[in-house]
Amino acid sequence: MKLYNRVSSFYIVFNVPMKLRAKVGKSQIWKSLGTKNKTIAKLRAEMTLMTIKQKIINKVKNELVEDLDWLDDDIDISDDEVNAAIRERSGVSVGGKPRKRLSSEEKRAKLPASKDFTEKEAETLAYEWLVGKVEKELETLKSVGKPVEERKKYQKLLDEVKWQYANWDYAIVEDEMTGFLFDFIEPKPSEATKNVMLNAFMRAKIQFLDYILSYLYGIRQNLSKELISGADEYVGSRKVINSIPDIGQCEESTFNLVELTEVYNNDISRERVSKEQKAKILLRIENIVEFMGDMSISNITDKDIENFIREIQCLPAHYGKMKVAKKFTLKQAIEWGKKDNSIQKISPSTLERYIQTFKSILQYAAMKEYIPKNPFDKISLPKFDNSDDEDNKRCSFSTFQLKTIFDSPVFSGAINDGSGWNTKGDKIFRNYKFFIPLISLYSGARLNEICQLYVEDIKNIDGTDFFSINDDGDKSVKKSTSRRNVPIHSELKKMGFMEYVEEMRNKNSKYLFPELTTEKSGRRSNVFSKLFGRLLKTVDKQLIDEKDKFIKSKHCFHSFRHTCRDCFRNNECENIEAIEAIMGWKGQYKGLSYYYGQGFTMPKLSEIMENKLIYHDLDLSHLYK
């Protein structure tokens, strides 16, 4: 395999083995890698080489080749793989004796009506489906014009499939599984093993969507050689930094903004920045690119930037979540915002984040000498008035709203833990749906802080049980002060939380809530956030008085954190330092004593919580175990 620079793009050049040249019709295969950046070309070449390898294997399956000398050393194909392909094609058994070739119809006629598949057999078949699906989809994506739109489509589908997988709903892959087994001439799974097969295909579906989504983000890597064992394993375990260009070998001035952002996000100076924050930065840059066009960073001028700042102020607020986002381009949405003054526009703080992100990315490019200087240096930036943001902050839940939430089927009893989780029944399921809102109510913890907890993060010191909120492993925190230890409130213990923890320990579960899955951003909260949103919509219908109803965009899961702070406030907790230690806020109280000592002991912090984090008019005794 060689790379050649043909000015417009690098090409991969593959020398066809001598004994295959007559069949292929050429001695070399040239493939454009779609980039002038040599390092990125090398990364994409690995993907192309994988595709060529797969096509060679397919060639062996379709054309009987008994002499293996033609295999090139550059292609890592084992003799076992090739021999298996030859046996499959030629009808030679493992013992080497020839057997009668049967047509597909004859083979299907001999199949049993169903079969008890083992988990390993199911995973092998699902992986075969995955490989073929990826290869076919990559061919289709070569003609994609707007990768930003494709990313949104695949991200939405990935979220849906993960949600269905977490709720044991495998219907989305049943037709694909049935079709594949028919084409592959395999019997249908028996009723006893149908869910085993469907589960394997669901994991393959998740792995497929994640792989394609990564591809659309510019990440080129070989497909894993085996099926993932769980939905939490796919993107969260993959390190983007392995796919980042070696800066020293790049023609830096040819970077576009997205490529530069990938390098910036994975710079050694940003190792402690959360995946969530990096994803937000990339999303802002993608919106900037959609508006300005996919130009080289060396071609961006101060006039381009000034035009962007002027126009982006007319973008409708929460545009990305609107249904019209599928129909409008960013420029069309801005024009829509210009014409309709009744539409709420992005807030000053959102505008400021766009500008600061853009400026920081180009400042990084200037510092690394990828561009002569930062074009922002010629611009007088607008002053930001963030006073309007006060109107947009989240609201606390009222006591009546809390009563209604915790009287809903999730907490008082549902018909089942699947599709009937929000329908009144007589069974209480003490799992993630039950405990996550209660943990936030009695700790003020953020949603993702709770969703990403490991079982080992439930600890005890000096006789006090507590949550260890940290960024170890694949976890992340919003900022350094978010790393903290929070005592477990006695109300949670009365509701059976410690018994639940022990149950997870006995199952050797890594995560406290293993049903949740890790998102591409590294977060584990997206699925539950949507579920809780549906719960609030259901509860809102039961609130008759208009003053009790939830306020759209102001009442959400984060309202528990505001409610917790109000509880401390209403119970006249004057120990601000303790509140900040519990809530994980940056210290506002910074007298000289702030810099001395090691902070509160866990028993003392627990005592403050038990005395001051009390919801006097809220009776949740019906949740006690």
Side-chain angles (χ1 to χ4, degrees):
M1 180 191 76
K2 297 181 181 179
L3 289 182
Y4 281 93
N5 187 355
R6 280 192 163 182
V7 184
S8 61
S9 171
F10 272 96
Y11 279 69
I12 179 176
V13 181
F14 175 74
N15 293 317
V16 179
M18 288 292 297
K19 294 195 176 184
L20 277 185
R21 290 180 182 178
K23 296 181 183 295
V24 175
K26 56 180 73 175
S27 60
Q28 289 185 329
I29 297 173
W30 287 64
K31 289 281 186 181
S32 171
L33 298 172
T35 180
K36 294 186 287 184
N37 185 303
K38 187 174 182 179
T39 303
I40 294 177
K42 286 182 179 179
L43 296 169
R44 292 180 181 175
E46 293 177 9
M47 170 63 66
T48 306
L49 184 60
M50 183 189 76
T51 303
I52 293 173
K53 168 186 170 178
Q54 188 60 48
K55 287 183 177 179
I56 290 176
I57 291 293
N58 292 341
K59 184 75 175 175
V60 176
K61 288 182 179 179
N62 294 322
E63 299 287 343
L64 180 57
V65 180
E66 295 180 339
D67 186 351
L68 305 183
D69 292 339
W70 55 266
L71 282 175
D72 193 288
D73 291 337
D74 287 341
I75 305 177
D76 182 22
I77 305 177
S78 69
D79 287 350
D80 289 342
E81 287 180 288
V82 177
N83 287 331
I86 291 173
R87 286 198 299 271
E88 180 182 326
R89 170 65 186 171
S90 63
V92 176
S93 66
V94 176
K97 296 179 180 180
R99 60 191 180 199
K100 180 185 176 182
R101 293 189 185 184
L102 300 176
S103 68
S104 297
E105 290 73 17
E106 289 174 321
K107 290 178 181 178
R108 291 191 184 101
K110 289 180 174 292
L111 289 177
S114 64
K115 174 183 174 180
D116 287 330
F117 285 94
T118 65
E119 185 175 1
K120 182 64 177 176
E121 288 172 331
E123 288 181 344
T124 299
L125 289 168
Y127 184 78
E128 287 283 346
W129 172 85
L130 168 65
V131 171
K133 186 83 171 173
V134 166
E135 183 179 283
K136 184 177 179 181
E137 198 68 13
L138 290 178
E139 284 295 321
T140 304
L141 290 175
K142 288 180 180 178
S143 60
V144 168
K146 294 185 69 176
V148 173
E149 291 302 315
E150 288 295 311
R151 284 197 288 266
K152 290 177 182 177
K153 181 183 79 173
Y154 277 96
Q155 184 64 65
K156 182 179 179 181
L157 185 55
L158 179 60
D159 290 342
E160 289 175 358
V161 175
K162 285 186 298 178
W163 163 252
Q164 290 166 335
Y165 180 82
N167 287 275
W168 302 284
D169 180 2
Y170 303 150
I172 195 171
V173 295
E174 188 161 0
D175 287 346
E176 289 181 289
M177 177 198 77
T178 303
F180 177 79
L181 292 180
F182 179 83
D183 293 339
F184 215 70
I185 315 179
E186 288 284 346
K188 294 180 179 179
S190 64
E191 283 301 315
T193 61
K194 183 177 180 180
N195 270 353
V196 173
M197 184 68 75
L198 285 170
N199 180 282
F201 270 79
M202 279 296 280
R203 284 182 278 140
K205 183 84 169 180
I206 290 171
Q207 194 169 355
F208 160 72
L209 292 171
D210 165 64
Y211 185 88
I212 297 300
L213 194 58
S214 296
Y215 179 88
L216 289 169
Y217 273 101
I219 300 171
R220 303 295 186 261
Q221 55 196 335
N222 291 334
L223 185 65
S224 170
K225 293 184 178 181
E226 59 184 13
L227 198 65
I228 55 173
S229 60
D232 62 331
E233 198 177 303
Y234 58 104
V235 274
S237 63
R238 203 136 68 218
K239 299 293 185 183
V240 177
I241 195 166
N242 290 337
S243 298
I244 297 305
D246 179 356
I247 297 170
Q249 298 178 16
C250 294
E251 297 175 23
E252 292 85 358
S253 62
T254 65
F255 275 151
N256 61 31
L257 276 172
V258 173
E259 291 169 334
L260 176 62
T261 303
E262 288 288 340
V263 176
Y264 170 76
N265 270 339
N266 289 276
D267 190 86
I268 191 171
S269 65
R270 299 180 60 76
E271 284 184 346
R272 303 296 286 176
V273 178
S274 68
K275 294 176 184 176
E276 175 190 3
Q277 186 60 26
K278 289 179 179 179
K280 287 179 178 178
I281 289 170
L282 183 58
L283 181 59
R284 288 181 207 129
I285 292 298
E286 286 172 343
N287 284 339
I288 293 170
V289 169
E290 185 177 346
F291 178 85
M292 294 178 54
D294 191 14
M295 64 175 74
S296 165
I297 57 173
S298 60
N299 294 332
I300 297 174
T301 67
D302 55 315
K303 300 299 181 185
D304 295 322
I305 296 170
E306 286 175 343
N307 185 45
F308 169 76
I309 294 173
R310 183 168 49 252
E311 296 291 303
I312 198 68
Q313 297 180 58
C314 298
L315 182 69
H318 311 296
Y319 158 71
K321 298 179 181 178
M322 294 179 176
K323 291 182 180 179
V324 295
K326 298 178 181 179
K327 302 177 182 178
F328 288 178
T329 64
L330 192 73
K331 286 187 176 181
Q332 288 172 331
I334 289 172
E335 290 302 315
W336 175 42
K338 286 180 183 179
K339 294 175 182 177
D340 191 343
N341 291 327
S342 65
I343 297 174
Q344 182 185 354
K345 309 303 190 295
I346 60 172
S347 66
S349 60
T350 301
L351 174 62
E352 183 177 13
R353 283 192 288 271
Y354 265 108
I355 294 173
Q356 289 302 328
T357 297
F358 199 178
K359 182 179 180 180
S360 296
I361 291 292
L362 291 180
Q363 186 61 41
Y364 175 82
M367 179 188 72
K368 292 288 187 178
E369 298 182 351
Y370 303 159
I371 54 178
K373 56 184 178 181
N374 188 349
F376 267 91
D377 294 343
K378 297 181 179 180
I379 299 173
S380 296
L381 295 175
K383 295 187 182 297
F384 299 102
D385 179 10
N386 295 326
S387 58
D388 290 341
D389 287 355
E390 190 68 20
D391 298 330
N392 297 321
K393 76 174 187 178
R394 309 298 187 194
C395 291
S396 301
F397 290 123
S398 69
T399 300
F400 185 75
Q401 288 172 335
L402 289 173
K403 286 179 180 178
T404 312
I405 290 171
F406 291 113
D407 278 338
S408 65
V410 177
F411 304 96
S412 60
I415 59 173
N416 59 53
D417 191 36
S419 58
W421 66 272
N422 205 18
T423 304
K424 195 70 175 175
D426 56 3
K427 180 70 173 176
I428 296 177
F429 299 90
R430 296 175 191 270
N431 56 14
Y432 72 103
K433 299 185 189 85
F434 181 90
F435 281 118
I436 289 176
L438 290 166
I439 291 173
S440 188
L441 181 69
Y442 284 104
S443 70
R446 300 176 179 91
L447 177 56
N448 195 58
E449 290 174 342
I450 302 170
C451 293
Q452 68 181 2
L453 284 169
Y454 294 166
V455 173
E456 65 182 26
D457 290 329
I458 310 304
K459 301 182 178 182
N460 182 289
I461 189 169
D462 297 332
T464 302
D465 296 308
F466 64 94
F467 299 103
S468 173
I469 297 174
N470 57 68
D471 55 355
D472 296 342
D474 59 355
K475 293 174 290 184
S476 62
V477 292
K478 185 174 181 179
K479 46 193 174 182
S480 59
T481 53
S482 299
R483 301 185 198 101
R484 63 196 187 280
N485 295 328
V486 183
I488 297 174
H489 202 286
S490 60
E491 286 293 293
L492 289 174
K493 295 181 179 181
K494 292 175 185 177
M495 296 169 189
F497 178 68
M498 297 309 295
E499 288 89 337
Y500 171 80
V501 173
E502 192 60 32
E503 180 186 343
M504 291 299 104
R505 283 201 179 107
N506 292 336
K507 290 182 177 179
N508 294 319
S509 175
K510 174 182 177 181
Y511 292 102
L512 186 60
F513 303 112
E515 302 93 335
L516 302 177
T517 55
T518 307
E519 313 299 325
K520 186 170 185 63
S521 64
R523 295 172 65 85
R524 289 176 61 82
S525 56
N526 286 7
V527 169
F528 186 82
S529 179
K530 293 176 182 177
L531 181 146
F532 189 75
R534 288 196 287 272
L535 173 64
L536 288 188
K537 286 182 180 178
T538 303
V539 171
D540 194 59
K541 294 176 183 177
Q542 303 169 25
L543 301 173
I544 300 172
D545 196 324
E546 198 63 33
K547 68 178 177 61
D548 292 325
K549 286 188 170 292
F550 299 121
I551 302 173
K552 188 177 180 180
S553 78
K554 292 191 177 183
H555 280 114
C556 59
F557 188 90
H558 202 69
S559 297
F560 282 121
R561 189 163 166 82
H562 288 263
T563 305
C564 181
R565 179 63 184 94
D566 278 346
C567 185
F568 279 120
R569 187 179 287 117
N570 294 332
N571 288 324
E572 299 180 345
C573 181
E574 298 177 355
N575 196 328
I576 303 301
E577 194 176 347
I579 294 173
E580 291 179 342
I582 293 167
M583 305 290 284
W585 283 320
K586 187 175 181 179
Q588 300 298 317
Y589 168 72
K590 282 201 173 183
L592 187 61
S593 63
Y594 176 86
Y595 297 96
Y596 286 81
Q598 296 182 346
F600 293 94
T601 64
M602 207 44 51
K604 181 60 180 176
L605 207 56
S606 178
E607 178 189 333
I608 294 170
M609 283 184 67
E610 295 294 334
N611 291 329
K612 297 298 182 180
L613 191 53
I614 302 172
Y615 299 92
H616 293 288
D617 297 323
L618 180 64
D619 181 9
L620 297 182
S621 59
H622 64 288
L623 303 183
Y624 293 172
K625 192 169 183 181

